[in-house]
Amino acid sequence: ELAWHVGFAAGGVSEAKKSYARVAADDERATSPGDALRELFNTYGPCLVLIDEWVAYAQQLHDTPDLPGGTFDTQFTFAQALTESARAVKNCLVAVSLPASDTLPSPHATAEDIEVGGVRGREALDRLRNVIGRIESPWRPASADESFEIVRRRLFQPMTDPEQFKARDVTARAFADLYRTQKGEFPAECAEGEYERRLKGAYPIHPEVFARLYEDWSTLAKFQRTRGVLRLMAAVIHTLWERGDRNPLILPCTIPMDDHRVQFELTRYLSENWVPVIEKDVDGPNSLPVRLDSEVPNLGKYHACRRVARTIYLGSAPTQRAAHQGVEDRRIRLGCVMPGEAPAVFGDALRRLAGEATYLYQDGTRYWYSTQPTVTKIAEDRAARLAREPEKVAREIERRVREDVRRRCGEFCRVHDFPRTSQDVPDDFDARLVILTIDHPHTKGQESPALVFAKEILERRGHSPRHYRNTLVFLAADQARLQDLEEATRRYLAWESILQDKEDLDLSPHQVRQAESQKAAADATVAARLPETFQWLLVPVQTDPQTEVTWQEIRLQGNEGLAVRASTRLVREELLLTRLAGTRLRMELDKIPLWRGDHVSIRQLIEDFAHYIYLPRLRSPAVLAEAVRDGMGLLTWERESFAYADSFDETGGRYRGLRAGGHISLPDTDPPGLLVKPEVARRQLDTEQRPAGQVPEGVSGAAGGEPGGTAGGGATATSVPARPRRFHGSVSLDPLRAGADAGKIAQEVISHLAGLPGAQVRVTLEIEATVPGGVPDPVVRTVTENSRTLKFTSQGFEEE
């Protein structure tokens, strides 16, 4: 075939026949013509022999001598004869194209096999290189800088107007100034003056585009350096022109990867599964970057997420099997930031993408896309499955709420979290917060599930009416915010499960670190959304006994504990009292009134304040006991407070142990005694405390030498001082020898009083113990049981 073409070019068909005749015998035997080639080149020179795809041809030959082209070995004998003949004659040049691929095993072996045709093609390439390499003058395609000019000339008309050169220089200077003034944000070479020259040489394409195409994409076996770049940039430029793009340069971030023509050029050299990666995580109407830009106005202003994703894809897609994958964050900013824009915006976009993208990997400062889903994708799938298991999400939310109220319950004595029925909320005197389940959310101004359930708990406990209704307030989740909390909780549970299964998932150390970081972020998100969701405080209120109970809806704010926020708000608005003055208690006694005749028992008042919603809501009975002590200590007790009595003697019509205007000892738990109206107490006190100088009936003076008599024997009245009728006293005993001290007191004091005619002696033992380290459970049980057996009138343990 070679001989025929050489002769035909020199003299037509007749010369072609003569030329072929010289090698006809060798052609029929399928052997190399040897020195006949040199004779042909001398006869018909000058000659130019162009051979393309020689490796692809040779790799089809086999070793059996039944092919007209000869065997596999004969082909390389011919190659040696051809090259030696060309060197031996004048005016002859042989140009052979060989694939530029390494013969040694490398990470790119698969791509090279595509180019050279497998093992047979690789052997053919090796042997052709050995034959030709001895006398070759190798020539390689244009360098990257030369390619700038080739592409620019092929795709753009030459600039002739001075204004065009001025616009180019102004643009290059603006970008160069940006890189020089913020050196830490961009690669070091960008601050050099040479980079401004490159900007001018590549204008209107940014040099970073060519750098990624010639340094990264050209490593792909099927990507042709010049032709591939021309095809891609032609599609890019045409799409940008159609869209009226007005950016100063074509940067990696401005390549419209959502256009099907551009997308085809960016995926045709890669595996087929790159298209869904682009559509989901890089560019497209439903992609993650577009969604993030729409959700965050500061990012959407610059389309920052989309620009960052495009830059990462262009720099990382062709380097999946490279030793160092990905693009550095500085080079990402180089491909995104334009003059007048803040690099920090794109840094924020990069962090958001790394946290949510399905196919975006990160290792330190390097980022890359892969066709394999990241642990983020696994987390998304698991979070989606948890949407079908709401009970797991509910349990996690309840666990977090319980931990929160266990650490800090504010001013509430107790917190009842997530009761399933009204039976789960006890009927006690203490003020308590009831946290409703997420199955009972609240919406302001509506008869929400939370309000319905709260009313049920307030009115009944199980099948019985609730007696102490003025002790309960309710905390409910907001209907609108509940969905965000559940979503954040699902994400946290998903990351937690990934870390638990890291061995089964065979996660790399980088993926484990990423999962730990994402779990911590999700945990913080749940913690922040918890108080935002549980924000409705539902408080039953009643202005007076004649009106109906209404519900006050209070929106809570702040990041404190749930119970702390609730109690703080209630105390501030006096919907929960932690302290009650004695004068305020007197006002409440007179207002309703709460007196039962001339007095009322303190235990009755405790029940009244716990039962009637129109009364102030007290934290505990201790608040009422403190109010009694405060009122008793007032010197103005007759006008502003009350008197205190141990009990009332129905037979004698008098109060036992009546006292006022002095301090009394009263236990916080189950305080005994009565509060007496001041005017009633005054009458009894005036009657029983006889003024000095008053003569008792039946007492008269005596004559003669009796004390107070006169010599004249006249009788005069003698003043007899009134005898004291009551004794009271208190003493502190050594707890280690209380029995001995009590016996001594009984012998030296009590026995003298009890022996008087008609004396009624009452002895009360009051015990108060404070244990800084807390009382162990066995001691609590023993003391409580013994106290009941010994018939203590009041006893109990407290946390504080």
Side-chain angles (χ1 to χ4, degrees):
E1 190 74 13
L2 177 62
W4 177 274
H5 281 288
V6 169
F8 183 83
V13 175
S14 59
E15 288 297 327
K17 291 181 178 180
K18 295 178 181 179
S19 176
Y20 175 71
R22 298 187 181 189
V23 297
D26 296 319
D27 186 34
E28 292 175 358
R29 294 192 300 270
T31 61
S32 173
D35 194 56
L37 291 175
R38 183 180 59 80
E39 296 175 358
L40 287 174
F41 294 153
N42 280 327
T43 303
Y44 299 106
C47 299
L48 174 61
V49 182
L50 302 177
I51 304 178
D52 194 15
E53 302 294 349
W54 199 346
V55 172
Y57 174 78
Q59 61 99 15
Q60 300 178 75
L61 304 176
H62 51 73
D63 297 329
T64 304
D66 59 351
L67 297 175
T71 64
F72 188 71
D73 291 333
T74 303
Q75 190 69 202
F76 304 112
T77 304
F78 167 70
Q80 184 172 358
L82 175 64
T83 55
E84 292 291 347
S85 298
R87 184 177 63 172
V89 301
K90 296 180 179 181
N91 299 327
C92 182
L93 177 65
V94 177
V96 180
S97 67
L98 297 178
S101 53
D102 194 355
T103 59
L104 298 175
S106 71
H108 299 284
T110 301
E112 293 167 0
D113 288 343
I114 295 175
E115 180 69 20
V116 303
V119 177
R120 194 75 166 178
R122 190 176 297 280
E123 184 180 354
L125 175 61
D126 292 343
R127 298 182 67 171
L128 283 174
R129 276 184 169 175
N130 291 334
V131 171
I132 299 173
R134 295 179 296 112
I135 55 175
E136 69 177 353
S137 296
W139 176 86
R140 293 187 177 276
S143 64
D145 289 345
E146 293 172 337
S147 301
F148 296 172
E149 187 68 16
I150 294 173
V151 173
R152 190 176 63 79
R153 290 186 180 185
R154 292 285 298 272
L155 299 178
F156 294 98
Q157 294 179 353
M159 295 188 297
T160 56
D161 190 343
E163 290 297 323
Q164 294 175 329
F165 288 98
K166 180 180 178 180
R168 179 198 66 182
D169 295 344
V170 168
T171 301
R173 173 56 55 89
F175 275 88
D177 290 343
L178 169 66
Y179 302 148
R180 280 192 290 265
T181 55
Q182 302 193 49
K183 294 181 180 180
E185 302 291 340
F186 304 98
E189 69 269 15
C190 298
E192 300 174 358
E194 174 64 18
Y195 202 79
E196 184 175 352
R197 186 195 65 78
R198 294 180 64 189
L199 285 165
K200 293 179 181 179
Y203 182 85
I205 302 173
H206 195 283
E208 182 65 10
V209 175
F210 287 118
R212 300 283 64 78
L213 294 177
Y214 282 98
E215 294 176 15
D216 299 331
W217 287 82
S218 62
T219 61
L220 300 175
K222 294 188 293 183
F223 187 87
Q224 296 172 306
R225 291 171 62 93
T226 302
R227 187 181 303 173
V229 173
L230 282 173
R231 286 177 59 95
L232 172 61
M233 294 310 301
V236 170
I237 294 168
H238 182 67
T239 301
L240 294 177
W241 177 78
E242 284 183 331
R243 297 180 178 181
D245 186 88
R246 300 184 62 83
N247 286 306
L249 288 179
I250 300 176
L251 287 90
C253 69
T254 62
I255 295 178
M257 298 182 184
D258 57 331
D259 182 81
H260 70 279
R261 293 165 295 186
V262 176
Q263 191 177 109
F264 173 73
E265 293 298 329
L266 288 172
T267 57
R268 62 182 301 196
Y269 310 105
L270 306 172
S271 58
E272 296 180 356
N273 47 1
W274 274 100
V275 174
V277 175
I278 294 178
E279 293 177 347
K280 183 175 180 61
D281 275 359
V282 181
D283 203 356
N286 300 317
S287 63
L288 173 65
V290 173
R291 178 175 65 81
L292 292 177
D293 285 336
S294 64
E295 292 176 352
V296 184
N298 191 41
L299 302 180
K301 178 181 179 181
Y302 302 100
H303 303 289
C305 291
R306 177 184 262 187
R307 288 163 63 176
V308 167
R310 289 171 172 176
T311 304
I312 296 174
Y313 178 85
L314 186 68
S316 66
T319 61
Q320 292 301 295
R321 297 174 184 172
H324 300 285
Q325 297 185 63
V327 189
E328 291 184 349
D329 53 358
R330 292 188 179 188
R331 199 158 291 279
I332 294 173
R333 288 191 287 271
L334 176 64
C336 292
V337 184
M338 299 185 193
E341 297 176 343
V345 175
F346 298 90
D348 184 25
L350 181 59
R351 285 189 294 273
R352 291 178 181 271
L353 281 173
E356 297 190 35
T358 301
Y359 300 98
L360 180 60
Y361 285 77
Q362 176 187 1
D363 187 8
T365 60
R366 301 185 71 86
Y367 298 82
W368 68 93
Y369 282 108
S370 173
T371 56
Q372 297 298 322
T374 63
V375 286
T376 302
K377 175 60 175 175
I378 301 175
E380 287 182 358
D381 294 340
R382 295 193 174 191
R385 289 199 299 270
L386 284 169
R388 299 188 292 271
E389 302 176 86
E391 66 282 353
K392 292 185 179 180
V393 177
R395 283 199 300 269
E396 175 63 21
I397 294 175
E398 292 177 4
R399 181 189 67 82
R400 288 173 173 267
V401 171
R402 289 192 177 100
E403 287 184 356
D404 180 86
V405 299
R406 188 181 299 117
R407 294 193 305 267
R408 300 164 295 177
C409 62
E411 297 295 340
F412 295 107
C413 294
R414 280 174 292 171
V415 176
H416 302 298
D417 46 70
F418 308 111
R420 304 303 172 184
T421 66
S422 61
Q423 181 70 35
D424 297 335
V425 181
D427 198 10
D428 293 329
F429 295 116
D430 301 327
R432 290 151 291 145
L433 176 68
V434 180
I435 303 179
L436 304 180
T437 65
I438 60 175
D439 296 332
H440 299 91
H442 181 67
T443 303
K444 186 177 182 180
Q446 298 183 12
E447 190 74 2
S448 64
L451 197 56
V452 172
F453 192 36
K455 290 180 179 179
E456 178 184 346
I457 295 176
L458 185 70
E459 295 299 328
R460 307 187 67 83
R461 186 192 180 195
H463 299 292
S464 304
R466 185 173 297 277
H467 186 65
Y468 305 120
R469 301 188 303 160
N470 198 32
T471 60
L472 301 181
V473 292
F474 302 86
L475 182 65
D478 182 75
Q479 175 74 62
R481 294 182 178 271
L482 182 58
Q483 182 177 356
D484 294 337
L485 174 61
E486 291 177 330
E487 179 183 352
T489 305
R490 287 194 295 270
R491 189 177 299 115
Y492 167 79
L493 292 174
W495 286 112
E496 184 181 47
S497 67
I498 287 174
L499 288 174
Q500 292 173 350
D501 300 341
K502 61 183 179 182
E503 300 296 336
D504 296 336
L505 295 173
D506 194 22
L507 299 183
S508 66
H510 164 69
Q511 290 175 318
V512 172
R513 292 194 300 271
Q514 182 183 6
E516 291 173 345
S517 174
Q518 292 296 330
K519 177 189 173 183
D523 182 53
T525 301
V526 175
R529 290 182 179 178
L530 206 62
E532 294 176 357
T533 303
F534 286 89
Q535 61 171 263
W536 287 113
L537 193 60
L538 305 178
V539 185
V541 293
Q542 188 177 16
T543 56
D544 56 68
Q546 285 72 40
T547 59
E548 294 184 356
V549 175
T550 59
W551 289 82
Q552 187 170 345
E553 303 165 292
I554 301 176
R555 186 193 297 271
L556 300 177
Q557 296 179 343
N559 295 319
E560 300 90 351
L562 300 180
V564 174
R565 288 190 312 162
S567 64
T568 301
R569 183 66 177 274
L570 291 172
V571 171
R572 185 168 68 243
E573 299 190 8
E574 290 198 347
L575 292 171
L576 176 65
L577 299 184
T578 59
R579 185 180 183 279
L580 184 66
T583 54
R584 172 81 178 270
L585 177 56
R586 167 67 182 276
M587 293 172 57
E588 297 295 339
L589 288 168
D590 295 341
K591 180 180 178 182
I592 302 299
L594 299 178
W595 300 106
R596 268 60 169 187
D598 292 335
H599 63 267
V600 63
S601 72
I602 298 178
R603 291 188 177 96
Q604 181 62 56
L605 286 178
I606 291 175
E607 292 199 8
D608 289 345
F609 277 92
H611 178 73
Y612 298 110
I613 297 177
Y614 51 78
L615 293 177
R617 183 177 292 103
L618 305 183
R619 180 182 184 273
S620 67
V623 177
L624 187 63
E626 179 59 31
V628 172
R629 290 191 289 264
D630 179 67
M632 285 296 296
L634 296 177
L635 295 177
T636 57
W637 64 275
E638 292 188 61
R639 293 194 308 271
E640 297 180 346
S641 64
F642 34 75
Y644 174 84
D646 294 332
S647 61
F648 181 67
D649 183 2
E650 297 286 348
T651 304
R654 61 181 296 276
Y655 292 97
R656 301 186 184 96
L658 181 65
R659 48 196 181 271
H663 295 287
I664 63 171
S665 177
L666 199 66
D668 288 340
T669 304
D670 194 21
L674 308 174
L675 297 187
V676 184
K677 289 183 177 180
E679 59 272 19
V680 176
R682 171 51 63 190
R683 285 198 300 267
Q684 179 173 328
L685 292 175
D686 288 344
T687 301
E688 296 183 352
Q689 295 179 357
R690 192 185 315 275
Q694 180 177 349
V695 181
E697 292 184 17
V699 178
S700 61
E706 294 182 7
T710 63
T716 61
T718 303
S719 176
V720 180
R723 293 179 179 179
R725 298 172 179 269
R726 298 178 63 249
F727 168 83
H728 65 86
S730 62
V731 62
S732 297
L733 304 180
D734 186 348
L736 299 180
R737 52 192 306 271
D741 290 346
K744 189 174 182 180
I745 292 172
Q747 180 180 359
E748 301 295 337
V749 178
I750 299 175
S751 62
H752 294 289
L753 296 173
L756 296 175
Q760 297 180 358
V761 179
R762 184 164 64 92
V763 180
T764 301
L765 176 63
E766 181 176 337
I767 302 173
E768 180 177 351
T770 301
V771 184
V775 182
D777 290 342
V779 177
V780 171
R781 290 193 296 268
T782 301
V783 172
T784 301
E785 186 63 27
N786 292 342
S787 298
R788 291 173 180 168
T789 303
L790 296 172
K791 302 187 184 305
F792 275 42
T793 57
S794 65
Q795 57 86 20
F797 287 87
E798 300 174 347
E799 291 183 1
E800 293 291 336

